Amino acid sequence: MRLLSLNLLTVSLTAVILGLLTLPALSIRGDGESPPALPTAKLRAFGVYVDPWHIDDWAARVGAPPTMAAKFEAFSRKRDLIKFTSEAERRGLREVLVSWEPWKPVRAKLGVYRQSYPQRGYRNVDIANGSQDRYIRRVARGLTTFNGVVYIRYAHEMNGFWYPWSWDARSYRRAWRRMVRIFRDVGASNVRFVWSANPNLYERRDRWLHNLRLYWPGDRYVDALGMTVINFGGRKLYSVSDFVPRLRALHRRFHKPVLITEANTQYGDRVRWLNDLRRMLRGAPWITAVAWSQLPSRGAAQMRKPGDLHWDVQRDPCAAAVLRGVIEDGLARTTGARQPAGCDGGSRLAPAPLSGQQLEALRAARLR
């Protein structure tokens, strides 16, 4: 009996010791699976419309890591965005911007009239009456899984005439509010709603503001404001200073932080334009994010003789140097890097590739 008791005691003590020995291993395993730390965009986030699967390549070629991934998503695709946000999170990003379009996309070459024609099931009045509730709820639930902030730019540039959601401003307001309520009902507290206007520089300021107010869903339903800032060239050759009065008016009228939700410029004067953008941002702390987009432009496709938007900052050392400065300003970080010699607006040479060590440094910077 004594021998049996001794054996049982020995077995018990052995189990306890083995259990204690496994605690550090369990702790280490848990730490290894925890998500990366948030990036420190202290002053201004910088996003880029690039799939998160390719965002490290973009960072390596431009020379600085974005703090936000951005994308366009149409309702007709019926995707829940989980793959997008999961990959962004895996890459160390904690902010994403989704330009969420309630329609089935129309080919740009069919023209503005065809593109702007209301689509049954996606019309403002349909969404206001619940036609897309199931899809909206599925997306909202999926976004709650993202360990970060999601900016939803729903039905953007509504004050223009080239999208179907520009029709029926009253129903636009109702659809917006219904969409926000669904997100709140499912507990998507990490989502921010961005009401994003077009500057419509062809309109007088008073007319522009009057039309904007028609689409305003109410202070309770909007977290931030957005605006498109694109210099198309040709008949729409816009300097940065052309946009500034509209950006300020938007901020002063609606009293919310502002995101530049699409930024791009034609090739010809790109370095000067980007330098002007950087200077403007330094004097506008209420602009809290910039999203760089060089995706194919519907606006350019429907223009007669637009400027050259078919260039890529990843293959342009001069423009990349300026964007690096914009990113570093937002991170409240200064590297002292200068623009390459001869950056007077002409070079299309590919930048020198970064070494593996430099690429790892860029990735680490995003996780700090």
Side-chain angles (χ1 to χ4, degrees):
M1 184 70 178
R2 181 181 301 173
L3 182 60
L4 177 61
S5 300
L6 185 61
N7 286 339
L8 289 172
L9 179 62
T10 302
V11 169
S12 299
L13 288 172
T14 302
V16 170
I17 292 170
L18 289 173
L20 291 172
L21 288 173
T22 61
L23 285 178
L26 290 172
S27 176
I28 292 171
R29 182 181 177 185
D31 289 344
E33 292 178 351
S34 61
L38 297 175
T40 54
K42 297 179 181 178
L43 301 178
R44 183 182 306 106
F46 185 90
V48 59
Y49 282 86
V50 170
D51 284 341
W53 290 267
H54 302 126
I55 213 158
D56 283 341
D57 296 334
W58 191 95
R61 290 167 183 160
V62 172
T67 61
M68 179 167 64
K71 73 168 302 179
F72 286 88
E73 184 68 20
F75 272 39
S76 64
R77 296 190 179 106
K78 301 298 181 186
R79 296 188 293 199
D80 60 18
L81 302 175
I82 291 177
K83 287 184 179 179
F84 170 71
T85 55
S86 296
E87 185 62 21
E89 186 172 331
R90 193 178 78 82
R91 300 279 173 167
L93 297 168
R94 290 297 178 269
E95 291 181 298
V96 297
L97 168 66
V98 179
S99 293
W100 206 22
E101 302 175 310
W103 73 335
K104 182 177 181 180
V106 175
R107 287 179 295 174
K109 69 179 184 179
L110 295 178
V112 172
Y113 178 78
R114 180 66 185 86
Q115 177 179 295
S116 66
Y117 196 77
Q119 302 174 354
R120 187 172 295 276
Y122 301 112
R123 297 174 302 182
N124 290 327
V125 67
D126 298 329
I127 294 171
N129 289 333
S131 69
Q132 298 295 326
D133 280 7
R134 183 178 298 179
Y135 169 62
I136 293 171
R137 188 170 289 109
R138 182 160 57 89
V139 170
R141 285 174 177 156
L143 293 180
T144 64
T145 66
F146 179 59
N147 183 26
V149 176
V150 180
Y151 294 94
I152 290 289
R153 182 197 185 204
Y154 172 79
H156 62 289
E157 298 175 4
M158 60 287 168
N159 60 318
F161 55 82
W162 43 89
Y163 285 124
W165 49 84
S166 296
W167 294 67
D168 188 359
R170 179 177 178 274
S171 292
Y172 177 94
R173 299 193 304 267
R174 291 177 54 226
W176 181 286
R177 292 168 187 158
R178 188 180 188 99
M179 179 266 300
V180 172
R181 289 190 192 107
I182 291 172
F183 273 79
R184 290 174 177 168
D185 286 346
V186 304
S189 58
N190 61 325
V191 174
R192 305 291 180 267
F193 301 98
V194 183
W195 187 73
S196 188
N198 197 69
N200 291 6
L201 296 178
Y202 53 84
E203 289 181 329
R204 295 194 320 270
R205 180 179 178 276
D206 58 343
R207 183 66 179 171
W208 176 72
L209 282 171
H210 171 77
N211 288 338
L212 271 183
R213 291 188 190 102
L214 299 177
Y215 294 92
W216 179 243
D219 189 75
R220 292 175 50 210
Y221 297 94
V222 176
D223 296 300
L225 310 168
M227 185 175 289
T228 303
V229 175
I230 298 178
N231 171 28
F232 289 98
R235 293 184 300 145
K236 295 184 178 180
L237 181 65
Y238 300 136
S239 68
V240 171
S241 62
D242 289 329
F243 294 100
V244 172
R246 298 292 163 103
L247 287 163
R248 285 179 178 159
L250 188 70
H251 177 58
R252 290 172 180 169
R253 173 62 183 83
F254 298 104
H255 310 291
K256 302 278 187 180
V258 175
L259 288 68
I260 295 179
T261 44
E262 288 180 69
N264 195 9
T265 183
Q266 70 159 2
Y267 177 75
D269 58 350
R270 72 212 181 284
V271 174
R272 184 185 305 107
W273 196 92
L274 288 170
N275 274 311
D276 289 344
L277 177 68
R278 185 183 182 188
R279 279 190 290 270
M280 183 273 288
L281 291 170
R282 285 176 167 179
W286 40 271
I287 297 177
T288 57
V290 178
W292 178 253
S293 175
Q294 291 197 291
L295 297 175
S297 168
R298 288 181 173 273
Q302 293 163 355
M303 281 178 61
R304 293 180 182 177
K305 299 181 179 178
D308 180 6
L309 291 172
H310 302 292
W311 65 282
D312 187 348
V313 71
Q314 297 178 78
R315 299 186 59 79
D316 192 312
C318 297
V322 187
L323 277 192
R324 281 199 300 274
V326 173
I327 295 171
E328 290 163 2
D329 289 347
L331 294 168
R333 193 187 299 158
T334 303
T335 63
R338 296 175 179 271
Q339 289 185 20
C343 282
D344 55 358
S347 174
R348 281 185 187 264
L349 297 176
L354 295 184
S355 67
Q357 184 177 1
Q358 288 172 315
L359 180 55
E360 287 304 315
L362 289 174
R363 289 172 175 160
R366 187 187 302 134
L367 301 180
R368 286 203 294 270

